[in-house]
Amino acid sequence: MNNKLKVLRAMRNWSQAELADRLDVSRQAVNAIETGKYDPSLPLAFKLARLFEMPIEEIFDDGQEGSKND
Amino acid sequence: MTDVDTVKPRRRLSPRQRRYRFALGFAAVVGGIVGGWMVADQPKGGDYGPEVIFNGPLSASFAIGAALLWVLGLAISIAIYHRAIDDHEERAWLWAGLAGWYAFIIPAPVWWVLHRADLAPPADAMLLFVLSMVVNGIVWLWLKYR
């Protein structure tokens, strides 16, 4: 799953370690999410959304946009 | 500008991080006690090689003490560890545990049936345990730090 975490973090001039502290997770967790090696759990995704004050779907993109059958 | 000016203030550990470090430190201390005790339990000038670790005779007092330390120490540190890890590490732990389990259930019956047909020596439980732990450790490290 793609995400804008690296961009959002850079806009705030936070290091991975600073973001990890704010989320109370390890720096490895932040790095794994940013590089797409790990999709966060729903509680952690909500935590990220609250921290960046934006909806989850603006941070994460599952690549399914436009493929809805409506 | 002095070196002091460039030093970043040390970040305070969150309660989760403190629990995490305590769990790992506690497990390391228990492991150190068991290992040190095992060496001290050997006769003077004895062999400290793999044979002692895997199959050599042990005194009853050490065996009972090490068994209690292993069960209680591991139970306490695991309980604290699992309350302290984030979901990234929990996922690494779960996959590593599964890989370790497969590293036991696949070779164990193979070895057992081969032995029953006199095609292999008796199954060595400690070797299977070590194999399972090594696979577990490799997968955990890979998923956490890749």
Side-chain angles (χ1 to χ4, degrees), chain A residues 17-18 21 24-26 28-29 31-32 37-41 44, chain B residues 8 11-12 14-17 86-89 91 143-146:
Chain A
E18 281 175 291
D21 278 351
D24 198 20
V25 298
S26 64
Q28 291 84 13
N31 183 58
K37 290 172 182 162
Y38 160 67
D39 293 332
S41 66
L44 183 54
Chain B
K8 282 188 175 180
R11 294 197 310 270
R12 289 189 59 172
S14 70
R16 181 194 71 78
Q17 290 169 320
D86 57 32
D87 22 94
H88 174 244
E89 186 160 342
R91 179 172 160 275
L143 288 176
K144 182 160 169 70
Y145 294 105
R146 67 188 162 140

Side-chain angles (χ1 to χ4, degrees), chain B residues 21-132:
Chain B
R21 291 189 183 197
F22 177 81
L24 295 187
F26 185 76
V29 167
V30 170
I33 291 171
V34 172
W37 191 3
M38 180 182 261
V39 171
D41 195 54
Q42 298 305 309
K44 295 282 179 230
D47 179 23
Y48 300 136
E51 184 58 28
V52 172
I53 297 169
F54 289 107
N55 294 313
L58 299 167
S59 70
S61 58
F62 167 75
I64 293 168
L68 286 173
L69 275 172
W70 176 259
V71 172
L72 295 176
L74 208 60
I76 291 168
S77 59
I78 282 174
I80 300 168
Y81 172 80
H82 282 288
R83 290 185 60 197
I85 53 175
D86 57 32
D87 22 94
H88 174 244
E89 186 160 342
E90 186 179 35
R91 179 172 160 275
W93 179 266
L94 292 173
W95 279 110
L98 188 63
W101 171 240
Y102 286 144
F104 175 75
I105 65 162
I106 293 171
V110 171
W111 198 343
W112 180 60
V113 293
L114 290 177
H115 168 63
R116 290 181 64 183
D118 275 339
L119 295 170
D124 186 331
M126 184 51 80
L127 205 57
L128 290 168
F129 169 75
V130 170
L131 174 68
S132 173

Side-chain angles (χ1 to χ4, degrees), chain A residues 15-28 30:
Chain A
S15 64
Q16 286 186 340
E18 281 175 291
L19 177 56
D21 278 351
R22 288 168 194 272
L23 296 167
D24 198 20
V25 298
S26 64
R27 192 195 60 77
Q28 291 84 13
V30 170

Side-chain angles (χ1 to χ4, degrees), chain A residues 3 7 9 15 17-18 22 34 39 41-42 54 59-60:
Chain A
N3 68 77
V7 174
R9 177 173 64 76
S15 64
E18 281 175 291
R22 288 168 194 272
E34 281 188 2
D39 293 332
S41 66
L42 205 47
M54 50 177 44
I59 303 174
F60 295 95

